[in-house]
Amino acid sequence: RLLAMATAPSGGKMLTRGGASASGSRPLPSGLRSSSRARHSVTKERHPGLVNQDSRIRSSPADVPEPALSPVEKLRQENELLRRTIEEAEAAQALLEEIEQENGVEEETATPAAATQQPTPAAGDVDMMDTASTVGTSPASMSDVSSAPGTYTPSGSKFLTSIDFDGVAAYTTKGEDEMSAYIGKLGPLGKENFRLEERTNRSWMPQLPPVPGGLKEVPGVMPEVTGDGTACFQWDGSLEQCREHFQHRYGVYGGLRHHIDVHEGGMDKFTRSYEYYGLHRGENEGKKGLWYREWAPGAQALALVGEFNQWEPSPEHWAVRDEFGLWQLFIPDGADGSPAVKHKTKVKCRIVGSDGATVDRIPAWIRWATQEWNEIQFNGVYYDPPETSAEPGVLEEGKKYVFKYPRPPRPRALRIYECHVGMSSMEPKINSYKEFAAEVIPLIVDLGYNTVQIMAIQEHAYYGSFGYHVTNFFAPSSRFGTPDDLKYLIDQAHRYGLTVLMDIVHSHASENAQDGLNYFDGTDSCYFHEGSRGRHWMWGSRCFDYGNYEVLRFLMSNSRYWVDEFKFDGYRFDGVTSMMYHHHGLSTTFSGAYNEYFGFHTDVDAVVYLMLCNDMLHSLFPSVVTVGEDVSGMPAFCRPVSEGGTGFDYRLNMAIADKWIEFMEERTDDSWGMGEITHTLTNRRWMEECVSYAESHDQALVGDKTLAFWLMDSDMYDYMAHPDFGPSSPRVERGIAIHKMVRLLTMTLGGESYLTFMGNEFGHPEWIDFPRDDFVDPGTGKFVPGNGGSLEKCRRRFDLPDADYLKYQWLRGFDRAMCHLDKAFGFMSAPHTYVSRKDEMDKLVVAERGDLVFVFNFHHTNSYSDYRVGCLNTGGYKVVLSSDQSCFGGYSNVSKEADVEFFATDHPHDDRPASMQVYAPARTCVVYAPSERVDPLASDPEGLGVKDLGPYFAV
C-alpha cells in the first residue's frame, strides 16, 4: 500500500531566483564528493558557478567564493575548455590508430565480415578498449562473442566491429577475462533479426526471432468453477457486507459456464462461433460451396444478395430458419468448380421483417466492409483470399498472410503508446496499416514504449467517432487497408517485441441501421434492449442486452476473434462504467460507499459478461492483457474471476488527467497542493493495478486541450524555436518545465503501468479535429458547425521533434529517457513504493519506487541547496535522470554529467531510516539511483545515466 507521510522541516537552504543562500555562498550539499576520475575533470570544472541568462542558481565549490567574471574572462575559460576537449579527442584517436597499426589493421581495408563501419568515438572516451581484429572466425570457436538477438553489452564497449549474417564476426577485444562478463554466444543470424546500435551495442529493444514455418498457437484450457465468489474479500474485508451480491453474480457466472460446457461443447468451441456464423467455405451433400448463417429471430425471411446475383435473390438464395432464429443458406460452386461468390464480392442480407417490410443489412458477422467514394452507405464484402502467402511474414496482394513472429512475453509493466492508424501520418491524409507499420512502429520502439494500443480498428461508418460508434464488429476498418494488411502490422509490432492491444468497444453500438446492427431483423431488440433501456441518451447509440444468450455468443466470439485471428495481445475495454450500471455512470457521483457498486443500480448481466470474457481470454490465451476503462472504482474490478472479481488486469486511472487539468485551468502555481496531487495519484485500491496517464486521446480532441496547450497556449505558435533560432517566452519556459515534471510524476506514482497518446509525448501543438460536416449533437441538441471535411487537424506532426531548431525535441527526449529508465530499473512494477514528503510550503514531493529516489520541486522561484530527503537505504547515490539536463531544455543545475555522488547516511528523516542532502532547483525533477547503477557518460538514450541496461532490464 502506498504511504504518504507527513512533511517535516527540510533543514535545507532556500535559494530564490537570482539570489544566494543565507550564508552568502552556495556550498555543495554536505556528504557529497565529486568523482576523482581524470576523464571527468572537464565536467567538474565547468559545472560549478555557471549562471544562465535567466539567473537560475548553480552549485559552487564549498567555501570558495565565486568571483564575478568579465565577458572576456568567460570567453577565455570557454576557449581553454574547448582546447582541452579537442586535445583529448585527438589523443584518443591517435592512440586508437597506433594500436590498429600495431595489430596490422589497415584503414582502407574491409573484408566482407568487417564491412560495417563503427561510429566515430565521442570526445572524452579516452580509455577505449584496446583493439585486435579477428576476422573469419568460425561460429564454433566464437562462444564468447556477444550481440546475438536478446543479448547486450555494456555502454561504451564498442567491441563488435561487424557481423556476417552466417554467424561470422569481426570484433575487437582487450582480453578474455575483461570481456567475459559482457559476451554471449553468437549463432547464425538473419539480417532481419539483427540490429547494430549506432553508438553502442546496447539493445534496448531486442527483436524476436521468427517462428519456423509460421506462428501456430494452441489455446489453453478453461479452469473449473470453484468457490462462491468471495475469495476476493481477503484483500478487502469490508466487502463482507456485499456477500450476497458477490455470491449471486458468481452463481450466474457459474450457471452460464455450466450451460456452455453442456450444450455448446465448452467455452473453446462456443467462442469460435465466428468460424460457423457468417460466410464460410464448406461442403453440403458432397458439394463445395459457401455457407451463410445469421441469427435474426424477428425476421420472416432472409436472403443473401450482392454482386454475384446482381442484388436480386434467386429462389435458391433464400435461407432456412430453425427454431432458435438461426437462418442457414448454402450456395454451391459452379459446374466448372469456380465459387459462385468470389473473394472481395460485395454482399448484403435481405430481410423481410415482422411487419412485412424488406430491408437490406450488412451481415452481422461480416469480416470486411467497404465504402465506395461516391456512396454514403457501406457494403459488406466477402473476404477470403483463395491462396496463402508462400512464406511467413510476406504480404502479398490477394493472399492470406501467415504470421512469422511469436507473441512477445507479457510485459512486467505496460508503457502504452495509444494511437490511431488513420491520423498517424504527418500529412493531412488517412494513413494505412502498411504505412503505420513502416513509419510509426519504429518510432514507438525508439521511444521506449513496449505496448501499442490501437484505436478505431472495428469498422465504423462515421470516421469522426474516433472508432467508438462501431457498425461492423468483426471487420477491420477498410479505410486503412485489408484485414491482411492489419495482420502484417501486428506481426511487425511483434517482431520488435511490442505488445499490441486493441481498443475494443462492447459497451454500445452505432445507431446506424443500414450498415450497422440497429433494427437488424426489423425489430427494436435483437442484439439490444428494447425501448429506452436500449438507447444511450448521452452517446446516441444502442446498448447491448448482455443477458441474451446469442448476444453473449456474438460478443464473446468477437473478443476471441481479434486475439485468435489477428494475434492482438489484449484489449482496452471502452466504456466499462457505462456497461456496469443502469445509469451508465452519468449524472451520478461515486463516493466510495459500497451500496453504489452492489445494488439495484448495477447491471449484473453486464458484469457477468465481463467476468466470462476475462476468464475466457486469460484461460485460452494466458499472456493476454485486459484493461478496463472504469471511472467508478468498482471494487474487485482487477481481481481474478476465480476470486469473484471482474477479471481485468488493469483499471485506467482516469482521475489523474482530470486533476492535472483542474490545476492548470483553475489554479495559480503557488496554490498547487502537493498533498492533493499525491493523493490523486495514489488513490487506488489495494492489490488492484492501474494504468496511469497525464493525458490521453480525450484531452487531445477539439474542444479540449492537451497539457502542452493548457501550459503554453498560443505561445506555442511563436516561441517554440530553439534559443539559437528564435525568441522564447516565460510561458513556454514554464510550460516545458512543468510538462516534464507532470509526466514523470504520473509515471512514478500513478499506477503500475503508464499511457500516452501519440504526439503528446512531445507536446503536439494542434488539437484533433476529424473531418466533419455540420451536425446536431444528439446528447445536447445543439448545432455544431463542421470543418468542411478537412484532414488538416487530423494528423500527427512527428517531424516537429526531429527539427533541431524547435523545442519539441526536448519534450520527446525526456519522454524517451523516462521510458528507458523504467526499462532499466522496472520502478513502475517495483513492490517498494513510499511517498516520504509532500511539502506545501516548499512545493516538493519526494518519493521512492524500487531502488530509485525521486525529487520533484514544483516551486516556481525557490531552489534549495542542502535539502534533506529521506530514503530507504544508505550508501552512494548519483543522478540518473534530471529534467534540468540541457538536452531536455534545462540549465544543467543538476545533471548526470557532473558525476556528483550523494551519500545517504543512517540519519532518519521523514520517517525514513536514511537520508541524504541534495540540490533541488525550481521546477525540476531529479531521479537518484545507487551509484554503482549509474554511468554519467552514457548517451543512449541522451540524458539518461543508466549503466549498461540497468539492473532489472526488461522490454
Side-chain angles (χ1 to χ4, degrees):
R1 186 182 298 273
L2 304 178
L3 299 177
M5 305 307 297
T7 62
S10 67
K13 299 181 180 66
M14 182 179 75
L15 301 178
T16 58
R17 186 181 297 273
S21 65
S23 62
S25 62
R26 296 185 296 271
L28 285 172
S30 58
L32 309 190
R33 66 172 174 83
S34 296
S35 170
S36 59
R37 285 181 288 179
R39 67 176 182 179
H40 295 167
S41 61
V42 172
T43 306
K44 289 195 308 178
E45 283 194 30
R46 69 181 178 183
H47 174 70
L50 297 184
V51 180
N52 193 275
Q53 56 188 343
D54 80 334
S55 299
R56 290 186 64 171
I57 304 305
R58 309 284 175 151
S59 299
S60 297
D63 302 321
V64 178
E66 182 180 346
L69 299 178
S70 68
V72 175
E73 289 172 328
K74 288 183 180 180
L75 182 60
R76 287 198 186 103
Q77 285 191 1
E78 291 170 358
N79 287 339
E80 176 64 14
L81 179 63
L82 178 61
R83 182 187 63 77
R84 279 184 288 164
T85 301
I86 294 174
E87 287 178 353
E88 290 187 11
E90 290 176 345
Q93 182 65 33
L95 177 63
L96 180 61
E97 292 174 356
E98 180 182 346
I99 295 173
E100 288 177 343
Q101 290 175 1
E102 290 176 358
N103 287 277
V105 179
E106 297 185 12
E107 198 169 22
E108 299 296 328
T109 304
T111 67
T116 303
Q117 182 179 356
Q118 280 294 291
T120 303
D125 286 352
V126 296
D127 59 345
M128 292 182 62
M129 292 186 176
D130 296 332
T131 55
S133 179
T134 303
V135 180
T137 310
S138 67
S141 64
M142 291 188 61
S143 60
D144 289 336
V145 180
S146 185
S147 291
T151 66
Y152 64 88
T153 59
S155 170
S157 52
K158 308 178 182 71
F159 61 85
L160 185 66
T161 302
S162 64
I163 185 158
D164 181 331
F165 289 96
D166 292 324
V168 180
Y171 64 100
T172 61
T173 180
K174 191 174 182 178
E176 291 185 2
D177 291 339
E178 294 186 43
M179 295 296 295
S180 61
Y182 309 146
I183 53 186
K185 188 172 183 179
L186 177 66
L189 303 171
K191 291 183 179 180
E192 70 278 9
N193 303 319
F194 185 83
R195 185 168 62 118
L196 191 63
E197 298 290 341
E198 287 187 4
R199 295 188 60 81
T200 71
N201 292 326
R202 294 200 293 182
S203 180
W204 285 103
M205 183 63 84
Q207 294 185 18
L208 297 182
V211 178
L215 179 62
K216 300 177 181 65
E217 293 185 305
V218 177
V221 179
M222 295 294 298
E224 294 184 4
V225 179
T226 59
D228 66 349
T230 61
C232 57
F233 293 6
Q234 65 184 298
W235 311 112
D236 182 0
S238 58
L239 288 174
E240 186 65 39
Q241 60 185 295
C242 309
R243 173 176 288 272
E244 290 185 4
H245 183 99
F246 274 84
Q247 290 176 331
H248 168 68
R249 77 181 194 184
Y250 197 74
V252 176
Y253 154 79
L256 284 168
R257 280 284 310 275
H258 177 75
H259 184 91
I260 290 169
D261 288 343
V262 172
H263 298 286
E264 298 286 349
M267 187 68 76
D268 179 48
K269 182 178 179 181
F270 180 68
T271 55
R272 284 190 288 110
S273 293
Y274 53 82
E275 297 176 352
Y276 183 79
Y277 286 72
L279 296 157
H280 298 283
R281 294 285 300 170
E283 292 187 5
N284 184 37
E285 298 179 349
K287 295 182 179 180
K288 294 182 179 180
L290 184 73
W291 279 102
Y292 172 49
R293 299 181 180 93
E294 195 77 73
W295 178 69
Q300 291 190 49
L302 185 148
L304 186 68
V305 298
E307 293 175 320
F308 72 98
N309 60 8
Q310 291 74 52
W311 301 97
E312 287 297 330
S314 301
E316 62 271 20
H317 296 155
W318 289 90
V320 178
R321 184 187 191 278
D322 70 7
E323 59 182 311
F324 301 107
L326 173 64
W327 298 84
Q328 297 190 69
L329 165 67
F330 181 78
I331 303 176
D333 291 344
D336 60 353
S338 63
V341 182
K342 295 180 173 57
H343 171 55
K344 286 192 174 182
T345 296
K346 295 178 184 177
V347 295
K348 282 191 175 181
C349 59
R350 181 157 296 170
I351 291 176
V352 180
S354 56
D355 59 357
T358 300
V359 294
D360 287 352
R361 299 283 186 259
I362 293 179
W365 299 72
I366 200 71
R367 297 197 178 193
W368 206 35
T370 62
Q371 181 188 37
E372 294 296 330
W373 69 270
N374 59 347
E375 295 180 356
I376 296 176
Q377 301 297 329
F378 277 66
N379 289 294
V381 176
Y382 170 59
Y383 190 90
D384 187 19
E387 299 181 52
T388 301
S389 294
E391 58 181 295
V394 177
L395 183 62
E396 299 181 75
E397 180 68 28
K399 294 185 179 181
K400 295 178 182 176
Y401 183 81
V402 178
F403 288 91
K404 182 176 183 178
Y405 298 97
R407 296 181 189 272
R410 176 172 170 162
R412 66 185 176 195
L414 306 177
R415 295 184 301 277
I416 303 172
Y417 198 77
E418 184 186 32
C419 55
H420 184 284
V421 172
M423 57 172 291
S424 63
S425 174
M426 289 184 286
E427 303 172 16
K429 68 170 190 174
I430 296 177
N431 225 21
S432 69
Y433 296 124
K434 292 187 287 188
E435 289 169 318
F436 186 93
E439 300 165 4
V440 184
I441 290 296
L443 181 150
I444 297 171
V445 172
D446 181 69
L447 285 172
Y449 289 88
N450 60 12
T451 304
V452 53
Q453 178 178 298
I454 309 179
M455 307 171 64
I457 291 296
Q458 296 165 294
E459 189 58 87
H460 46 291
Y462 179 43
Y463 188 45
S465 72
F466 229 140
Y468 289 122
H469 282 233
V470 175
T471 47
N472 312 111
F473 283 77
F474 288 85
S477 181
S478 59
R479 291 181 180 87
F480 318 136
T482 69
D484 287 292
D485 292 344
L486 175 59
K487 292 179 180 180
Y488 171 77
L489 183 162
I490 295 170
D491 204 23
Q492 286 300 300
H494 285 168
R495 171 187 176 185
Y496 287 99
L498 291 176
T499 295
V500 187
L501 302 184
M502 173 178 161
D503 198 341
I504 196 168
V505 184
H506 283 179
S507 51
H508 63 135
S510 169
E511 271 197 326
N512 289 20
Q514 294 191 27
D515 48 15
L517 293 178
N518 197 15
Y519 294 106
F520 183 78
D521 62 355
T523 69
D524 185 40
S525 53
C526 196
Y527 288 95
F528 310 109
H529 288 292
E530 290 184 288
S532 60
R533 186 180 177 188
R535 285 170 170 77
H536 200 293
W537 64 268
M538 176 65 77
W539 296 344
S541 54
R542 295 304 308 267
C543 300
F544 286 106
D545 181 0
Y546 302 103
N548 185 302
Y549 191 73
E550 290 303 320
V551 174
L552 283 180
R553 182 196 303 277
F554 181 82
L555 293 177
M556 292 189 66
S557 295
N558 188 247
S559 298
R560 176 172 181 170
Y561 169 74
W562 296 103
V563 171
D564 207 359
E565 293 290 314
F566 289 83
K567 309 308 177 189
F568 277 99
D569 301 301
Y571 299 109
R572 170 212 185 254
F573 279 82
D574 177 70
V576 175
T577 302
S578 176
M579 297 173 64
M580 296 192 299
Y581 306 99
H582 296 302
H583 51 59
H584 304 304
L586 301 173
S587 299
T588 188
T589 300
F590 292 93
S591 66
Y594 283 179
N595 64 300
E596 297 169 348
Y597 306 107
F598 310 112
F600 293 114
H601 294 304
T602 307
D603 189 337
V604 173
D605 290 336
V607 174
V608 169
Y609 161 68
L610 293 171
M611 294 170 66
L612 286 165
C613 190
N614 275 308
D615 195 26
M616 177 270 295
L617 290 171
H618 289 107
S619 298
L620 300 183
F621 304 93
S623 65
V624 153
V625 177
T626 60
V627 181
E629 187 196 30
D630 171 41
V631 72
S632 72
M634 166 74 80
F637 186 79
C638 295
R639 294 308 306 167
V641 174
S642 59
E643 293 183 4
T646 314
F648 285 97
D649 297 298
Y650 297 92
R651 184 202 322 267
L652 280 175
N653 198 338
M654 302 173 69
I656 297 174
D658 294 338
K659 179 59 66 176
W660 286 126
I661 290 176
E662 175 192 330
F663 273 32
M664 295 173 191
E665 182 179 13
E666 302 176 4
R667 306 193 190 182
T668 58
D669 290 4
D670 57 1
S671 65
W672 284 28
M674 301 298 100
E676 190 174 353
I677 289 174
T678 56
H679 172 74
T680 301
L681 290 168
T682 59
N683 183 25
R684 53 188 183 271
R685 292 188 56 81
W686 171 239
M687 295 300 292
E688 297 191 39
E689 297 189 341
C690 288
V691 174
S692 67
Y693 61 93
E695 53 185 340
S696 68
H697 69 272
D698 289 326
Q699 288 73 41
L701 283 168
V702 63
D704 206 335
K705 288 184 179 181
T706 62
L707 290 183
F709 241 97
W710 278 116
L711 290 165
M712 294 178 275
D713 207 60
S714 59
D715 279 22
M716 294 187 73
Y717 296 113
D718 299 311
Y719 300 105
M720 285 298 285
H722 190 280
D724 295 337
F725 295 92
S728 187
S729 75
R731 179 183 287 179
V732 166
E733 297 301 320
R734 168 186 178 268
I736 289 176
I738 294 178
H739 192 276
K740 293 178 289 186
M741 297 180 69
V742 163
R743 297 173 76 83
L744 182 58
L745 183 56
T746 301
M747 176 183 272
T748 303
L749 294 180
E752 289 71 30
S753 291
Y754 176 78
L755 174 146
T756 194
F757 179 69
M758 64 176 184
N760 287 357
E761 74 275 7
F762 62 83
H764 200 284
E766 298 287 359
W767 57 86
I768 299 168
D769 193 7
F770 283 90
R772 53 187 170 81
D773 298 321
D774 300 344
F775 74 103
V776 175
D777 189 322
T780 63
K782 294 182 179 180
F783 173 78
V784 179
N787 62 8
S790 173
L791 286 163
E792 180 62 32
K793 296 294 190 297
C794 195
R795 55 176 174 154
R796 295 283 90 178
R797 295 291 306 276
F798 293 119
D799 56 323
L800 296 178
D802 285 335
D804 58 6
Y805 53 85
L806 295 176
K807 296 173 181 174
Y808 298 102
Q809 59 182 302
W810 295 342
L811 298 179
R812 184 180 66 178
F814 186 76
D815 195 84
R816 183 171 183 258
M818 70 182 198
C819 283
H820 283 79
L821 180 68
D822 183 62
K823 276 192 176 190
F825 284 90
F827 64 87
M828 281 199 295
S829 54
H832 173 65
T833 305
Y834 200 97
V835 178
S836 62
R837 175 168 287 268
K838 41 184 181 177
D839 196 306
E840 304 296 353
M841 291 294 292
D842 294 341
K843 298 300 179 188
L844 255 81
V845 173
V846 179
E848 305 161 28
R849 196 134 196 204
D851 291 349
L852 305 177
V853 178
F854 298 80
V855 179
F856 298 84
N857 181 3
F858 280 92
H859 206 287
H860 58 292
T861 58
N862 291 352
S863 298
Y864 306 98
S865 70
D866 292 339
Y867 200 94
R868 186 169 293 279
V869 298
C871 55
L872 177 63
N873 299 314
T874 60
Y877 286 82
K878 290 185 178 182
V879 173
V880 68
L881 177 63
S882 169
S883 67
D884 205 36
Q885 292 277 156
S886 59
C887 60
F888 305 140
Y891 305 99
S892 296
N893 283 321
V894 177
S895 67
K896 67 180 182 67
E897 286 85 3
D899 197 25
V900 176
E901 189 162 24
F902 301 79
F903 281 101
T905 62
D906 55 358
H907 184 295
H909 186 68
D910 285 347
D911 286 341
R912 308 308 290 138
S915 64
M916 58 182 170
Q917 289 179 279
V918 301
Y919 179 51
R923 284 182 179 153
T924 61
C925 49
V926 182
V927 186
Y928 298 89
S931 298
E932 65 272 16
R933 310 297 193 189
V934 177
D935 179 2
L937 296 184
S939 58
D940 175 31
E942 187 178 13
L944 184 65
V946 173
K947 185 178 181 180
D948 304 336
L949 290 183
Y952 315 113
F953 172 77
V955 171

